[in-house]
Amino acid sequence: MFKKGKLLQALHVTRARLWKCKLHFPGRFAGRKGLGAGKACMPAGLRPPSLLMMADWAQSLLGIKGLLLDVSGVLYDSGGEEGGGVPIPGSIEAVKKIKASGLKLRFCTNETQATREKFVEKLQRLGFDIVVNEVTAPAPAACRILKERQLRPHLLVHDDVLPEFEGIDKSSPNCVVVGDAADNFSYKNLNDAFRVLIGLENPVLLSLGKGRYYKETDGLKLDVGVYMKALEYACDIQAEVVGKPAKMFFQSALTEMGIEPHQAIMIGDDIVHDVGGAQQCGMKALQVRTGKYSIVHPDKTKGDTKENAVRSPCLLSFSFCFGLRNNKQVLTEGCFPITADVYQWVVIIISILITIVTPGP
Amino acid sequence: MATRRALKAVLVDLSGTLHVEDTAVPGAQEALKRLRSAPVAIRFVTNTTKECKQDLLQTLKKLEFDIQEDEIFTSLTAARNLIEQKQVRPLLLVEDNALVDFAGIDTNNPNAVVIGLAPDHFNYEMMNKAFRLILYGAPLIAIHKARYYKRKDGLALGPGPFVTGLEYATDVKATVVGKPERRFFLEALRGTNCVPEEAVMIGDDCRDDVEGAQNAGMLGILVKTGKYRKADEAKINPPPYLICESFPQAVDHILQHLL
């Protein structure tokens, strides 16, 4: 595909270009330690990447055919006065760049506060180039499971996602589906769901995601996982998760894209559900520092070790870049002093991919 | 395990054991009288968090139970003790009736979260408020962690599920003050002048009453009234010392075999 000399030459150009748009390369040489450290001309943490490091990345990105993007916290922050949300700077441009690059793109969301149609409409209003069949969301996946297993759900979900469950038999329920019901999470509604479950011989609880919380413009909000845990505890049962980080969910997104796990990168703001889940599925994953990452003090955002998503909780406080070697996360040294958002990751990925494909000049 | 000694104290759960809401368990009043004729101290220990002691007492008097205020030890008392000891200003998620037991506690600009049974407060907005406080460092105090309790209209969620949810959201472990905490049982025995090995606990909650008491060194008797559901006893190991149909049978056993 390319010769080593040509590649290095091309990477040199790419590096200069990234440096010029103030996108210094995340890597071990961006930090305090390593070869780049101590050079007088650059302020600490602001150094161009080594070509070696970039070559390493180029090697890892070889064969990448598609990107999966989390939506809330990566492309936009939800909530606000009108509930419309606010795009994260550069994210609209990032989606455009991905589409122009020819990479396959899929939006992989645990959003269950709206039907996919409404969700996409909202994103289009915010300026995103997105259509309904590019979105993988838990509610349609849950409907497939309900039909396959002949389950009749009692729904504890947001009013706006109810249309997704039209045509599903909900008479004399034999399972509970819990989604991000937000204001519908009243004592009474949770109690109703509890009574259905405790009355069943084989209680089945499907949870649309298992997030702890998410960020809206007016602050952090409890997510579906909290209420899933509440019902699990009340009934002594284990929920089945539909949505991230479930392996099946990522796999169905990949099937829809027509690519294999090793050909895809997931970009998200949640270390457990986006990064960990994608890695469990055999994909590569990157974390952004926008969304829920940005608001919580890093040492509060612990990984769920049960799911083996991160090796140790303290990893996160340093992590900005999960290296892509051997498909394992590699913690690169040093702190990345600026926010890594989706735009920066996309520019970095695409710049290097272009370099690989067209090793000019 | 410490050797058993002669029985000196009987701890009795209230809701679900002596009564279910405003209906007494059949024969419970007479059974309590029989128990009073024996040379044992009696304490009523309850995780009921909806009502203050006065309300509890009134309910019990209406049902013609012969019970004194100073014989009742509740998880609210235990919570108040802990709040005073830690010198925090709590956000109190308890029913309005229970607030009486927290009279005089400073709740302005809260820096701690106290969770009892508060169906009216367990809405999304209030849960978010509690969540944010805990996330930014406020300790989480649970009056107890019962999964559910029995109401006239069926089973209803207790505080446990909500505490567990907040623990999951924040990665913080709650400090539990009520049953089944060992410390709660020991505090309840204070003033009876006896050790756990000289006490027996009667209750309808296999984990909170029986397992908790047995962990503290007491005997545990499970009654099949209140929230009891088939095969509950299989949930704990070691199993209950004894399983009885209801409170009167438990009293009969004590009078015949433990004295």
Side-chain angles (χ1 to χ4, degrees), chain B residues 118-193:
Chain B
D120 292 343
H121 293 308
F122 287 152
N123 54 53
Y124 190 58
E125 200 189 326
M126 192 55 98
M127 286 287 285
N128 272 323
K129 191 172 169 189
F131 157 65
R132 289 176 198 163
L133 280 173
I134 301 162
L135 196 65
Y136 293 109
L140 172 60
I141 298 168
I143 290 182
H144 59 84
K145 276 187 85 175
R147 290 166 164 77
Y148 48 83
Y149 67 107
K150 176 94 174 167
R151 263 190 343 208
K152 260 182 295 182
D153 63 343
L155 296 178
L157 289 169
F162 297 91
V163 173
T164 306
L166 287 172
E167 286 181 331
Y168 174 73
T170 56
D171 250 326
V172 164
K173 227 54 228 107
T175 307
V176 183
V177 296
K179 294 182 281 185
E181 291 304 299
R182 188 188 155 84
R183 199 168 69 166
F184 179 84
F185 288 101
L186 299 183
E187 271 195 61
L189 281 185
R190 203 190 287 167
T192 63
N193 203 18

Side-chain angles (χ1 to χ4, degrees), chain A residues 28-46:
Chain A
R28 94 177 64 129
F29 304 108
R32 290 182 295 274
K33 295 175 186 170
L35 286 177
K39 283 187 185 160
C41 54
M42 300 280 187
L46 287 172

Side-chain angles (χ1 to χ4, degrees), chain A residues 8-283:
Chain A
L8 284 177
Q9 208 179 347
L11 284 174
H12 197 75
V13 177
T14 309
R15 175 173 72 167
R17 204 164 52 221
L18 287 171
W19 182 242
K20 217 165 125 190
C21 31
K22 303 218 186 308
L23 282 170
H24 51 286
F25 199 80
R28 94 177 64 129
F29 304 108
R32 290 182 295 274
K33 295 175 186 170
L35 286 177
K39 283 187 185 160
C41 54
M42 300 280 187
L46 287 172
R47 294 185 186 90
S50 80
L51 287 182
L52 235 106
M53 188 66 183
M54 287 185 72
D56 216 22
W57 268 66
Q59 199 72 42
S60 309
L61 289 177
L62 209 58
I64 289 300
K65 292 202 171 131
L67 295 182
L68 289 87
L69 298 186
D70 175 29
V71 181
S72 175
V74 174
L75 297 184
Y76 81 111
D77 284 325
S78 58
E81 282 297 294
E82 273 109 59
V86 183
I88 288 166
S91 58
I92 294 172
E93 186 63 24
V95 172
K96 273 190 204 144
K97 274 189 186 294
I98 297 168
K99 290 200 166 172
S101 76
L103 282 168
K104 292 192 175 175
L105 173 61
R106 190 127 193 113
F107 301 94
C108 200
T109 177
N110 270 6
E111 168 70 45
T112 56
Q113 280 204 4
T115 59
R116 279 193 299 177
E117 283 74 14
K118 293 277 176 210
F119 182 57
V120 163
E121 268 172 39
K122 179 169 84 176
L123 289 165
Q124 286 170 343
R125 268 201 310 278
L126 292 177
F128 289 99
D129 178 3
I130 179 173
V131 292
V132 172
N133 62 18
E134 291 171 329
V135 177
T136 301
C143 285
R144 278 199 298 276
I145 293 173
L146 292 171
K147 280 180 194 152
E148 270 167 29
R149 289 164 48 185
Q150 295 177 325
L151 292 169
R152 299 178 307 276
H154 170 93
L155 298 173
L156 176 51
V157 297
H158 200 281
D159 290 345
D160 293 345
V161 82
L162 283 173
E164 295 272 20
F165 293 90
E166 260 169 32
I168 298 276
D169 182 6
K170 297 184 254 319
S171 60
S172 60
N174 59 2
C175 82
V176 167
V177 173
V178 59
D180 175 15
D183 289 331
N184 276 351
F185 280 132
S186 64
Y187 180 81
K188 188 193 171 298
N189 288 344
L190 199 66
N191 207 33
D192 288 346
F194 159 71
R195 284 180 175 181
V196 169
L197 285 172
I198 203 87
L200 293 171
E201 192 148 339
N202 295 307
V204 173
L205 173 61
L206 295 183
S207 186
L208 307 180
K210 58 182 278 194
R212 292 156 196 259
Y213 51 85
Y214 51 86
K215 185 189 163 196
E216 292 211 331
T217 41
D218 56 344
L220 295 176
K221 297 273 172 79
L222 291 171
D223 200 356
V224 59
V226 174
Y227 292 89
M228 173 196 87
K229 285 283 172 193
L231 288 171
E232 282 187 341
Y233 179 77
C235 308
D236 264 318
I237 55 170
Q238 277 275 312
E240 300 173 40
V241 178
V242 183
K244 296 177 285 185
K247 204 169 168 180
M248 248 180 68
F249 190 69
F250 285 109
Q251 262 157 0
S252 70
L254 290 170
T255 309
E256 283 153 344
M257 296 168 85
I259 60 175
E260 300 289 319
H262 68 269
Q263 297 172 319
I265 300 175
M266 170 81 204
I267 300 179
D269 66 334
D270 190 305
I271 189 69
V272 173
H273 301 110
D274 296 326
V275 175
Q279 287 178 333
Q280 295 276 311
C281 181
M283 297 161 61

Side-chain angles (χ1 to χ4, degrees), chain A residues 278-301:
Chain A
Q279 287 178 333
Q280 295 276 311
C281 181
M283 297 161 61
K284 291 155 184 167
L286 293 167
Q287 190 186 21
V288 290
R289 286 189 140 190
T290 52
K292 77 182 66 173
Y293 185 92
S294 63
I295 200 162
V296 186
H297 198 265
D299 63 8
K300 273 276 167 200
T301 319

